[in-house]
Amino acid sequence: VTAVDLSTAFLAWAAACVGQTRGDRHRIRFVQADAARLPFGEEAFDVVWCAQSLISLPDPAAALAEMRRVVRVGGTVGVLE
């Protein structure tokens, strides 16, 4: 699992929450990145999930294009807004 957010503070908070509730923080990679310029290769993931974030992004179309770029052919991009 890879968790991405632009805010390092939010990522630190998320890592702390995962560590408190699941105890397996080492299985989740926390990456600080811009949704419109993801630091991953093409087709790097089976699933990309974006929840309640698209509306707050300066360029939602660019973020969606990046999600499509990093999901494998036949994979799933899910958006909950």
Side-chain angles (χ1 to χ4, degrees):
V1 174
T2 301
V4 176
D5 200 275
L6 188 58
S7 166
T8 54
F10 184 76
L11 290 169
W13 174 80
C17 289
V18 169
Q20 291 173 2
T21 61
R22 296 190 47 127
D24 60 354
R25 178 178 166 204
H26 65 279
R27 296 180 62 193
I28 301 173
R29 177 173 54 156
F30 296 89
V31 177
Q32 190 273 331
D34 184 329
R37 290 183 296 277
L38 296 171
F40 311 111
E42 293 183 12
E43 300 187 32
F45 300 98
D46 295 324
V47 176
V48 174
W49 174 253
C50 177
Q52 302 166 334
S53 300
L54 219 57
I55 195 169
S56 66
L57 299 176
D59 189 351
L64 287 168
E66 275 294 272
M67 290 179 221
R68 173 61 191 99
R69 182 185 69 77
V70 301
V71 75
R72 70 171 171 78
V73 172
T76 301
V77 173
V79 176
L80 172 68
E81 199 58 42

